[in-house]
Amino acid sequence: VIQARSMNYRQEIIVASAGPAVSLLTAYLFHKVNATYFIISALLAATNLLPIYPLDGGRMLKSALMMCISPTLVQLIMKVVSFLVCSALMLAACWYAAVCQTGIWPIFAVLIVLIRFWESSCTEFGIQNVSRNDIIRYKLYLELESNGFKTLYSNTYIFIKHISNSL
């Protein structure tokens, strides 16, 4: 993901949709000229539209959700959706490899997507071996920023060392 400047959520959706749009346009232009280019462009567009976060479809889904609900809930939804899509892709790749006897290349292709998804989830929060509880705890801490990092009930400060010790 390249970020030259901060964008609002609508701009992020537009920028993320440009990649699949170009792939679909290329597929349309080549559909009668060369079947191979058509298939490659169409598959590239379909892959980019998957709702897995580092892909364009995931970026569009995340931006659309961020306009409606809290960042903590968006992060949880994105994790669940990405995991379910990756799991479905892995099952489909295993089935395809077994039925069509293609070898294990479909499984490796899905593994690349899984690794990219895991790397993006780790680097987004700057820590390794991120658990769901770590993400929720950190996002909740960031939501207290508008209150001066004070708890809402006791009005006492929460220091980052309390959070980092539990991570």
Side-chain angles (χ1 to χ4, degrees):
V1 178
I2 299 172
Q3 294 181 351
R5 61 179 178 87
S6 70
M7 295 182 277
N8 65 33
Y9 299 125
R10 292 184 200 281
Q11 292 170 333
E12 176 73 20
I13 292 171
I14 292 169
V15 169
S17 64
V22 169
S23 295
L24 288 173
L25 178 65
T26 304
Y28 175 75
L29 293 176
F30 282 110
H31 80 282
K32 290 188 179 181
V33 178
N34 190 332
T36 304
Y37 289 147
F38 167 74
I39 292 170
I40 290 171
S41 295
L43 286 175
L44 183 62
T47 303
N48 273 334
L49 286 172
L50 289 173
I52 301 171
Y53 175 63
L55 300 178
D56 291 331
R59 289 174 51 209
M60 289 187 285
L61 178 61
K62 184 176 181 180
S63 296
L65 289 173
M66 290 291 280
M67 290 190 286
C68 305
I69 55 180
S70 73
T72 305
L73 188 56
V74 168
Q75 192 63 34
L76 180 63
I77 290 171
M78 290 305 299
K79 286 266 190 194
V80 170
V81 168
S82 296
F83 177 76
L84 291 175
V85 171
C86 287
S87 298
L89 284 174
M90 183 58 78
L91 288 173
C94 291
W95 176 84
Y96 185 77
V99 170
C100 298
Q101 298 177 352
T102 59
I104 58 173
W105 68 266
I107 297 169
F108 283 124
V110 173
L111 279 176
I112 290 170
V113 173
L114 282 168
I115 290 169
R116 180 70 175 115
F117 160 66
W118 182 250
E119 286 175 348
S120 71
S121 66
C122 288
T123 57
E124 183 175 348
F125 297 101
I127 53 178
Q128 296 296 321
N129 302 320
V130 180
S131 72
R132 184 176 68 91
N133 288 336
D134 295 333
I135 294 169
I136 292 170
R137 191 177 299 121
Y138 181 69
K139 285 294 190 175
L140 288 172
Y141 175 77
L142 290 180
E143 287 182 7
L144 292 174
E145 183 176 13
S146 62
N147 195 30
F149 295 107
K150 293 181 181 179
T151 63
L152 299 176
Y153 300 108
S154 63
N155 207 26
T156 58
Y157 287 101
I158 298 176
F159 297 104
I160 194 71
K161 68 179 180 179
H162 295 125
I163 299 295
S164 63
N165 286 343
S166 62
L167 297 178

